[in-house]
């Protein structure tokens, strides 16, 4: 039996070409379509840090197209919460490879 392959290691993740494409809302409440979030919550208050993190973890994991990212993710908010997001390792590496400014600076 070969090594176990996890879904997170092979699934396609969307990453925008530029950070400027992340033009989602910076305030208010974001409601996700069921194609991205099939949980009972589905709406997230951008004034609540925990909601922002949960929203972005969900969208970054589930979006199949960069357009979905741009519609729901705000670049400034993403940069602020990035170090605290719980993401699959491969997804994090893909984003940090494309956008090195997201990589935390060692203290």
């Amino acid at each position: 039996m070969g090594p176990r392959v996890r879904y997170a290691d092979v699934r396609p993740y969307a990453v925008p070409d530029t950070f400027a494409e992340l033009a989602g809302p910076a305030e208010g409440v974001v409601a996700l379509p069921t194609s991205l979030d099939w949980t009972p919550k589905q709406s997230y208050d951008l004034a609540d840090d925990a909601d922002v993190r949960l929203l972005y973890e969900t969208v970054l994991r589930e979006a199949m197209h960069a357009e979905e990212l741009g519609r729901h993710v705000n670049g400034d908010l993403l940069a602020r919460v990035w170090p605290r997001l719980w993401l699959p390792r491969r997804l994090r590496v893909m984003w940090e490879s494309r956008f090195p400014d997201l990589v935390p600076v060692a203290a």
Side-chain angles (χ1 to χ4, degrees), residues 27-85:
E27 57 186 28
V29 174
V30 173
L32 292 178
T34 54
S35 61
L36 291 176
D37 187 358
W38 47 93
T39 67
K41 185 165 176 61
Q42 291 184 326
S43 62
Y44 302 85
D45 183 354
L46 296 179
D48 182 308
D49 183 70
D51 267 13
V52 173
R53 287 183 285 129
L54 186 56
L55 168 69
Y56 286 2
E57 289 166 358
T58 300
V59 174
L60 269 59
R61 274 193 324 268
E62 301 302 330
M64 296 301 292
H65 306 285
E67 295 80 21
E68 291 174 304
L69 296 167
R71 188 175 316 122
H72 301 292
V73 176
N74 176 279
D76 291 335
L77 284 177
L78 178 62
R80 189 168 65 220
V81 299
W82 181 260
R84 296 176 288 126
L85 295 180

